[in-house]
Amino acid sequence: MSRLFCFGLGYCANELGRRLLAEGWSVAGTTAHVEKVERLAGQGFEPFLFDGTDALHDVAEALQSATHVLLSIPPDAKGDPALRHFGAAIAASSSIRWIGYFSTVGVYGDASGNWVDETTETRPGTERGQRRVKAENGWIDLARASGKALVIYRLPGIYGPGRSAIDQLKAGTARRIFKPGQLTNRVHVTDIATAVEASIDLPPGVHIFNVTDDLPAPPQDVIAYGAELLGVPCPPATDPTDADLSPAARSFYIENKKVSNARMKSELGVKLAYPTYVEGLKAIAEL
């Protein structure tokens, strides 16, 4: 039986995990929140508590039977928690043949609105992006030394049911941030799971894919379209220097780029269910 162990059974890993369970896989993974353990178990997952601070014995034991490992925990100031505590065990495992890593298109830094692809040099301009590059390189070194397959998924803004402009507008929390010339990509959680499934049996070596939609677009257009779908007033435009924005949210507007998904389509044959935010938000609004 194929067994997936996820470091971080969050929004994206949960979507993938539900698919794999339906296909007969065994899926285990970690959460940092005690209150989520029962819910994850009820979904058919085998949950483990891990907050990134300790190398827990039960996690190490579960890894001994895993065939695939997915990494969905962001790096902290000390680096990648899973790599720090369990990298040696993953590298030494005879059963683990595939490692997947959820990274970010933030590793490219600012491209002044131009296109980037997987051959573009990583030049992150934020601390978060720099941490991601360091984590990517750590897993690349491990995969090359151990002869395992490593697939790095560089993701833009993630959305889907319960986590979209539609949900923000309904909750009254939507912000229409406007910066002239700003372009960003996004990706629906369903399409992330599709890309992982399409690459989950790749051979040993390092494989990097931008998993993103087809349409780099101004962020304010996404909110405006969501308001149009719901028939509600569009929030007023807000400058990204607004003091009410968190530092993380404000840093999102420092970088401007268009991200190509051509390699994902040509090498993995992925056909996006939601090629742009238009299809994605329309589907969410109709739920």
Side-chain angles (χ1 to χ4, degrees):
M1 177 185 289
S2 295
R3 300 178 183 273
L4 175 68
F5 190 94
C6 302
F7 281 93
L9 262 173
Y11 190 63
C12 297
N14 196 290
E15 175 75 15
L16 172 69
R18 290 197 303 270
R19 288 195 191 188
L20 296 182
L21 285 173
E23 296 169 12
W25 285 57
S26 168
V27 181
T30 69
T31 177
H33 308 286
V34 175
E35 64 274 14
K36 290 185 178 181
V37 170
E38 186 175 347
R39 176 170 59 81
L40 289 170
Q43 292 178 292
F45 302 121
E46 185 180 4
F48 297 86
L49 282 172
F50 175 60
D51 63 3
T53 60
D54 296 303
L56 303 179
H57 175 72
D58 57 349
V59 173
E61 187 174 358
L63 283 171
Q64 292 179 9
S65 61
T67 57
H68 297 69
V69 173
L70 180 67
L71 304 150
S72 185
I73 300 176
D76 56 30
K78 297 179 181 179
D80 185 291
L83 181 61
R84 185 165 65 243
H85 293 296
F86 300 103
I90 292 171
S93 170
S94 59
S95 63
I96 296 172
R97 57 181 182 268
W98 180 96
I99 302 167
Y101 182 70
F102 283 158
S103 187
T104 169
V105 297
V107 298
Y108 297 116
D110 181 44
S112 300
N114 294 311
W115 285 98
V116 299
D117 62 21
E118 292 86 351
T119 67
T120 302
E121 181 183 1
T122 55
R123 299 180 63 182
T126 66
E127 183 180 359
R128 289 189 302 157
Q130 292 162 6
R131 289 179 181 181
R132 286 291 187 179
V133 169
K134 183 179 179 180
E136 283 189 5
N137 289 337
W139 288 109
I140 287 171
D141 290 344
L142 183 149
R144 287 174 173 165
S146 63
K148 302 183 188 300
L150 171 67
V151 186
I152 295 174
Y153 307 95
R154 291 177 175 163
L155 308 174
I158 300 164
Y159 76 103
R163 183 171 160 174
S164 72
I166 296 296
D167 300 281
Q168 294 166 7
L169 285 159
K170 286 182 176 179
T173 60
R175 304 287 295 277
R176 189 163 65 95
I177 311 299
F178 177 76
K179 181 180 179 181
Q182 182 81 23
L183 293 170
T184 62
N185 287 77
R186 53 210 46 82
V187 65
H188 194 287
V189 65
T190 292
D191 290 322
I192 296 173
T194 297
V196 176
E197 277 199 289
S199 54
I200 206 162
D201 288 318
L202 285 175
V206 177
H207 314 269
I208 300 175
F209 298 98
N210 295 330
V211 179
T212 180
D213 66 353
D214 293 339
L215 182 65
Q220 67 269 16
D221 289 5
V222 180
I223 298 296
Y225 180 65
E228 179 184 332
L229 286 173
L230 294 176
V232 300
C234 188
T238 303
D239 188 275
T241 59
D242 190 314
D244 289 340
L245 289 179
S246 68
R250 197 176 296 115
S251 70
F252 178 78
Y253 294 91
I254 295 173
E255 299 170 351
N256 185 12
K257 55 184 166 283
K258 297 179 288 188
V259 183
S260 169
N261 61 15
R263 178 184 287 183
M264 175 188 73
K265 290 182 173 181
S266 64
E267 295 189 14
L268 300 180
V270 169
K271 183 177 181 180
L272 296 171
Y274 305 101
T276 78
Y277 70 85
V278 173
E279 296 88 356
L281 292 187
K282 188 172 185 293
I284 296 169
E286 292 173 350
L287 291 175

